[in-house]
Amino acid sequence: MRVAVIGGSTVDAPTYDTAVTVGRLLGERGHTVVCGGLGGVMEAVCEGASQAGAETVGILPGEDRSAANGWVDTPIATGLGNARNPLVALNGDGVIAIDGATGTLSEIGHALDFGRPVAGLRTHGIETAGFEAVETPTAAVEYVERAVPGEPGAR
């Protein structure tokens, strides 16, 4: 399945390491990672996924595909700026949010509007159907695997 991973574009080392772990777990479980294609959480999750042999897709805000971080396999230029946020959420069957500010919050909202389950790891505290606050990278991956219909272990 495709999992969109969203989060801060500038993060501290522990958050970066958490996102690498999420990417690695997704890759080890055979998932494709979709993200915004730039730095911070986006770069880290792609790094972990790539190291595990997974495909990575970056949906970029600008017009230049070469602006993607070095771990993105398939960069998609949009020229839309932050208006590309719904496309990131739409292209994941489930979403994992790590850290982040208002851009991440908008992507969470779009994901929920699209009916995508969202696991929140050290991100915004939201109490609504479809959003699950989790404590670990493993819990984040397991939540989206359970919550996406048609996936093994889905509810």
Side-chain angles (χ1 to χ4, degrees), residues 124-140:
H124 303 278
I126 299 170
E127 294 184 24
T128 190
F131 183 90
E132 179 83 19
V134 296
E135 297 294 323
T136 67
T138 300

Side-chain angles (χ1 to χ4, degrees), residues 89-117:
L90 181 63
N91 281 283
D93 301 305
V95 177
I96 297 175
I98 305 169
D99 188 60
T102 56
T104 303
L105 185 58
S106 77
E107 289 171 313
I108 291 169
H110 290 301
L112 295 171
D113 282 347
F114 293 133
R116 304 305 196 254

Side-chain angles (χ1 to χ4, degrees), residues 6-151:
I6 59 177
S9 59
T10 304
V11 297
D12 60 20
T15 303
Y16 191 95
D17 293 344
T18 295
V20 168
T21 301
V22 167
R24 182 180 44 75
L25 291 170
L26 289 168
E28 288 171 351
R29 292 170 181 235
H31 303 301
T32 296
V33 169
V34 177
C35 70
L38 299 177
V41 165
M42 298 169 278
E43 178 179 347
V45 73
C46 288
E47 179 180 344
S50 292
Q51 291 173 350
E55 179 185 0
T56 60
V57 178
I59 301 176
L60 301 163
E63 298 176 7
D64 182 5
R65 288 186 304 226
S66 70
N69 73 65
W71 301 101
V72 171
D73 295 318
T74 306
I76 299 171
T78 67
L80 295 172
N82 286 341
R84 67 74 153 93
N85 289 358
L87 298 175
V88 176
L90 181 63
N91 281 283
D93 301 305
V95 177
I96 297 175
I98 305 169
D99 188 60
T102 56
T104 303
L105 185 58
S106 77
E107 289 171 313
I108 291 169
H110 290 301
L112 295 171
D113 282 347
F114 293 133
R116 304 305 196 254
V118 179
L121 183 58
R122 301 180 193 158
T123 193
H124 303 278
I126 299 170
E127 294 184 24
T128 190
F131 183 90
E132 179 83 19
V134 296
E135 297 294 323
T136 67
T138 300
V141 172
E142 289 176 349
Y143 172 73
V144 295
E145 287 176 334
R146 279 194 321 272
V148 173
E151 286 300 310

